[in-house]
Amino acid sequence: MAKKKIILSIMVSVDGYVCAINGSISLLQQYYQEFIPAGTELIYPSDCGAVLLGRKTYEQYPKEVESLLKRGQKLIVASRQNMEALSGVIRIKGDLPLALKKVQAQLKCNIWIAGGPSIINQLTSVNSVDEIRLTTVPVQLGGGKPLFDTDLKAPNVSLTEVQQYGGLTHSVWQKK
C-alpha cells in the first residue's frame, strides 16, 4: 500500500501571498476564475480524502466547508480554542505535525492542507508536508499574508513538475 501524503494545494500570487492582509482571497479567486481553462481544476486535489483547515479558515468560509462535506471530505480543524463544529468535523490541537499524523493513521487517506498561513508554516517548517502544489495566479497583491514565513525554516523540497494552464502556472514540489 502506498504511503499516504500530506499535500498542500493552494493559490498564490506572483509575489508570494496567499491572501490579502484581511485574510480575503477574493482577488486571487477572481483572477483564478478568469485564467483557468474550462474543465480544469487545479486547487482541489481529487486524490485527498480529508481536508485540514485552521479555525479562522473554517469560520471564514462556511459555504466552502459545506461544499467539502457534501463532496464526502472528512474535515480536520486545527484550533487551540474550543469551537463549535459541524457534525463529523475532527478537531486537533497541540503539536500539529504529531496530531495530524495520528489522525492520518486513523483515516488512512491523503490529507489536503487548505489553509491558512499559520497552519501551513507549522507543517512546512518541520518538513511535514510531502507535496506542495502551487497554482500561481498572475496578479501582484503587493502585500498580505505570505505563503511561507521567512523567519522559519524553508521546506526541503524539489520541483518535479511545472505546467501552464491559460495564464496560470501549476507547480508540484516533492519533499526530499
Side-chain angles (χ1 to χ4, degrees), residues 55-69:
R55 180 188 50 80
K56 289 179 186 175
T57 303
Y58 174 78
E59 291 173 349
Q60 189 172 358
Y61 297 100
K63 288 181 185 175
E64 289 80 357
V65 166
E66 285 289 339
S67 176
L68 290 168
L69 289 170

Side-chain angles (χ1 to χ4, degrees), residues 8 120-129 132 148 153-155:
L8 168 61
I120 291 167
N121 283 290
Q122 285 181 62
L123 295 167
T124 58
S125 66
V126 295
N127 223 34
S128 289
V129 175
I132 298 172
F148 298 115
K153 186 177 177 188

